[in-house]
């Protein structure tokens, strides 16, 4: 799968995707990630990507032409949908990530300032996605969150498919407490059932624990 990101801060993306699961998948050629400098698509001496809002008000708005032309330039290599990161967009969850992981690529536009000129949305037939109901100063971190969530669902990116199947939100049996060795540390022990080797009991215990873990603030999470 191919991810092309349009941003005024392409350098932010390098180190993030050179490590861990995503870094290895890039090395193995399963993922291609490229950050494109929006300023390369400006036509003026100051390489201006923003301008004052029509109608007045504080802050600046991202101009439509550089964004649209940047995406057009990427199109030759990436036929996937265009995503605009926006705080008011559709909320990213595991279902949205799984849906996007079926695409051959994504072109992701990172906003800055007060946001992106609204004509861009229709012109690029874009899908707006938010990573949560809070406002960040730019779309770069949201784009990284989206890429990570989607990329790890691309078959083969996560080495052991079993670990995806047991991820939170993938299945009703999720989010139980995990332990590893040593079985006792400073008097803190691991629940006896996990050492029992009784897989039916372990499964039941995990299901029960996962249900108990649900915090009242997350009523929308499926009960197990
Ligand atoms: N005044 C704007 C905020 C713009 S924040 C508003 O209230 O809508 C600047 C940019 O950061 C946005 O264009 C978007 O690309 C990005 N951004 C901020 N918070 C985000 C979030 N929760 N999810 C996705 N993108 C976000």
């Amino acid at each position: 799968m191919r991810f092309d990101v349009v941003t005024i801060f392409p350098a932010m993306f390098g180190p993030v995707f050179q490590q861990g699961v995503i870094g290895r998948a890039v090395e193995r050629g399963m993922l291609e990630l490229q950050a494109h400098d929006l300023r390369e698509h400006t036509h003026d001496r100051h390489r201006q990507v923003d301008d004052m809002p029509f109608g007045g008000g504080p802050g600046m708005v991202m101009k439509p032409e550089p964004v649209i032309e940047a995406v057009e330039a990427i199109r030759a290599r990436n036929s996937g949908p265009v995503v605009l990161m926006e705080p008011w967009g559709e909320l990213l969850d595991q279902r949205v990530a799984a849906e996007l992981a079926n695409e051959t690529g994504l072109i992701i536009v990172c906003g800055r300032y007060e946001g992106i000129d609204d004509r861009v949305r229709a012109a690029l037939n874009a899908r707006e996605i938010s990573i949560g109901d809070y406002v960040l100063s730019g779309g770069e971190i949201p784009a990284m969150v989206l890429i990570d969530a989607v990329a790890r669902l691309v078959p083969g990116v996560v080495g052991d498919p079993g670990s995806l199947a047991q991820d939170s939100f993938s299945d009703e049996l999720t989010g139980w407490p995990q332990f590893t060795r040593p079985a006792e540390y400073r008097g803190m022990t691991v629940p006896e059932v996990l050492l029992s080797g009784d897989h039916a009991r372990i499964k039941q215990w995990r299901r029960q624990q996962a249900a108990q873990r649900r915090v009242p603030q997350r009523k929308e999470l499926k009960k197990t």
Side-chain angles (χ1 to χ4, degrees):
M1 183 164 183
R2 186 179 169 98
F3 296 88
D4 287 285
V5 183
V6 175
T7 167
I8 58 169
F9 297 123
M12 283 176 77
F13 287 83
V16 174
F17 293 122
Q18 280 160 12
Q19 289 159 61
V21 168
I22 306 296
R24 275 193 302 278
V26 170
E27 264 170 37
R28 283 184 290 142
M30 312 189 62
L31 297 177
E32 267 187 281
L33 293 165
Q34 205 177 337
H36 305 264
D37 189 350
L38 181 63
R39 290 192 202 280
E40 305 272 307
H41 297 276
T42 52
H43 301 293
D44 63 303
R45 207 156 50 86
H46 302 289
R47 308 179 88 203
Q48 199 178 339
V49 293
D50 59 327
D51 208 335
M52 291 186 301
F54 275 125
M60 300 292 269
V61 174
M62 284 178 87
K63 290 159 63 63
E65 322 92 293
V67 176
I68 290 171
E69 288 171 34
V71 171
E72 281 171 353
I74 292 165
R75 261 283 166 250
R77 277 166 292 169
N78 189 332
S79 56
V82 178
V83 173
L84 306 183
M85 304 313 303
E86 291 289 7
W88 43 265
E90 175 186 8
L91 269 184
L92 175 64
D93 63 11
Q94 198 66 11
R95 181 191 57 81
V96 171
E99 198 183 307
L100 294 174
N102 289 323
E103 303 285 351
T104 56
L106 286 183
I107 301 175
I108 303 171
V109 179
C110 305
R112 280 272 157 180
Y113 320 111
E114 292 301 318
I116 305 167
D117 184 293
D118 207 63
R119 286 168 289 186
V120 169
R121 257 190 311 149
L124 298 176
N125 189 21
R127 180 165 176 175
E128 295 90 14
I129 294 182
S130 164
I131 64 160
D133 289 346
Y134 41 82
V135 177
L136 299 169
S137 44
E140 286 76 14
I141 292 171
M144 291 172 195
V145 170
L146 175 67
I147 292 170
D148 192 292
V150 171
R152 60 199 304 286
L153 297 177
V154 172
V157 168
V158 171
D160 179 355
S163 89
L164 287 184
Q166 72 154 48
D167 268 351
S168 295
F169 318 117
S170 303
D171 176 276
E172 51 169 343
L173 183 68
T174 59
W176 55 76
Q178 299 276 13
F179 301 90
T180 185
R181 289 183 291 186
E184 186 187 336
Y185 175 62
R186 295 190 176 173
M188 297 178 283
T189 54
V190 169
E192 171 277 328
V193 57
L194 297 178
L195 312 175
S196 69
D198 181 341
H199 293 292
R201 259 181 77 211
I202 291 173
K203 194 168 175 186
Q204 190 194 11
W205 180 87
R206 284 180 165 169
R207 197 179 283 277
Q208 211 173 34
Q209 292 288 316
Q212 278 173 18
R213 259 192 169 182
R214 299 294 187 236
V215 300
Q217 291 82 350
R218 298 297 305 273
K219 283 195 200 68
E220 77 283 9
L221 289 183
K222 198 164 27 176
K223 288 282 184 297
T224 54

